[in-house]
């Protein structure tokens, strides 16, 4: 059991890591106390890695619409870096379009605006370059490994001067809150990154524990119900398969399988229905994804297989009783019954496990 848990953990981490290897993931767990309409305190900015020497992706959230997320770094080089505030494709982020302000005492870009036009106040002597969001329809970026969807936003290049301290402010003057991922830089550099901390950041990121948010306990409870339902269905399917195979050696196992098939089929069908209900809750919470059709298709196969098993049991039990009083005297009918039942059980077990895998992949790794 420990080996299985370890394998699942490594599996999740390895595939999750692929999605963020282009940028160092920086997961912010605190809630920013900077607010719109007030002077922001630059000394309270979250310190991040210089994006000129190592590309970074800052994962955070605006918990309230009047919140301002603030970050700080010192540039080690004279360079230029691209900046973009990506937004995860979720129901809660449909109308969320964050703005980005790059703040410093030396700004040479052509997007420098008057500080009086900002929805917050800056200390004297600071300039700001503003990167507004894209309005209208946004392109969706599909991460090919985890199938995670992100809304593309406006990407702009900023110029950094060596030795200067810069601040990055993310805000939403439109009054909409949401979570985001600010990507900066193009240099892939993980030489100074702790693998343990990287793993922690990835786990926190995939669980959505950003911007002071808590662990999604409700999602875990629903997933536990889904796992239990699929476990019962798959377990009974395996037990029933074993009974059929043992019937090749001991005929009374076949008799027992035929007598219990209707009951087993009903329990399997009930388990699949409970799983479908749990999956619906998960997708309603985190939003419909590209994996939803996969879950629906495999769940449909599971239901059809369970119903077919129920019908098959009645059909062949009636047929065998009509042919002979004992099951041993009806080898031909039992042969067809065994083949059809085993095939149906195989489809049911495989489809049920695939359904569960798709839901867990989306809710724990993608969402």
């Amino acid at each position: 059991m420990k080996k299985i848990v370890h394998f699942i953990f490594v599996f999740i981490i390895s595939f999750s890591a692929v999605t963020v290897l282009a940028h160092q993931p920086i997961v912010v767990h605190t809630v920013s106390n900077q607010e719109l309409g007030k002077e922001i305190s630059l000394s309270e900015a979250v310190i991040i890695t210089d994006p000129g020497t190592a590309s970074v992706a800052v994962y955070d959230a605006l918990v309230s619409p009047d919140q301002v997320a603030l970050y700080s770094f010192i540039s080690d080089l004279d360079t230029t870096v691209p900046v973009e505030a990506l937004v995860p494709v979720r129901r809660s982020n449909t109308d969320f379009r964050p703005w980005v302000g790059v703040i410093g005492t030396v700004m040479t870009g052509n997007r420098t605006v008057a500080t009086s036009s900002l929805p917050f106040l800056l200390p004297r002597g600071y300039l700001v370059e503003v990167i507004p969001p894209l309005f209208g329809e946004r392109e969706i970026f599909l991460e090919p490994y985890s199938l995670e969807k992100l809304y593309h936003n406006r990407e702009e290049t900023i110029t950094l001067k060596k030795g200067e301290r810069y601040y990055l402010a993310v805000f939403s003057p439109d009054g909409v809150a949401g979570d985001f991922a600010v990507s900066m830089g193009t240099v892939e550099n993980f030489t100074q990154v702790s693998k343990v901390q990287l793993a922690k950041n990835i786990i926190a990121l995939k669980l959505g524990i950003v911007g002071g948010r808590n662990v999604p306990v409700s999602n875990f409870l629903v997933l536990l119900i889904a796992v239990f339902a699929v476990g019962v269905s798959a377990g009974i399917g395996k037990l029933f398969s074993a009974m059929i195979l043992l019937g090749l050696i001991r005929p009374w196992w076949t008799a027992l399988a035929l007598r219990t098939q209707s009951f087993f089929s009903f329990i399997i069908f009930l388990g699949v229905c409970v799983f479908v209900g749990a999956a619906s809750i998960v997708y309603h919470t985190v939003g419909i994804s590209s994996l939803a059709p996969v879950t629906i298709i495999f769940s449909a196969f599971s239901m059809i297989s369970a119903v077919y098993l129920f019908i098959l049991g009645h059909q062949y039990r009636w047929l065998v009783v009509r042919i002979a009083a004992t099951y041993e005297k009806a080898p031909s009918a039992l042969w067809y019954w065994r083949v059809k039942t085993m095939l149906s059980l195989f489809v049911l077990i495989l489809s049920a496990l695939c359904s569960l895998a798709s839901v867990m992949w989306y809710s724990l790794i993608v969402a």
Side-chain angles (χ1 to χ4, degrees), residues 27-56:
V27 181
V28 180
H29 300 283
T30 57
V31 180
S32 174
N33 59 3
Q34 310 297 317
E35 296 181 3
L36 296 177
K38 300 180 180 180
E39 181 174 319
I40 59 176
S41 177
L42 298 179
S43 61
E44 298 181 14
V46 176
I47 305 298
I48 62 174
T49 306
D50 173 23
T53 56
S55 59
V56 298

Side-chain angles (χ1 to χ4, degrees), residues 3-44:
K3 290 184 178 180
I4 295 176
V5 173
H6 177 71
F7 172 78
I8 294 174
F9 176 79
V10 173
F11 179 81
I12 292 175
I13 294 301
S14 61
F15 271 85
S16 300
V18 174
T19 68
V20 292
L21 283 183
H23 295 80
Q24 289 186 23
I26 300 175
V27 181
V28 180
H29 300 283
T30 57
V31 180
S32 174
N33 59 3
Q34 310 297 317
E35 296 181 3
L36 296 177
K38 300 180 180 180
E39 181 174 319
I40 59 176
S41 177
L42 298 179
S43 61
E44 298 181 14

Side-chain angles (χ1 to χ4, degrees), residues 149-166:
K149 289 183 177 180
L150 296 167
Y151 286 119
H152 263 306
N153 211 339
R154 191 185 306 277
E155 179 183 282
E156 297 288 354
T157 300
I158 62 172
T159 301
L160 305 178
K161 293 295 183 181
K162 182 178 179 179
E164 290 291 329
R165 178 173 289 278
Y166 294 91

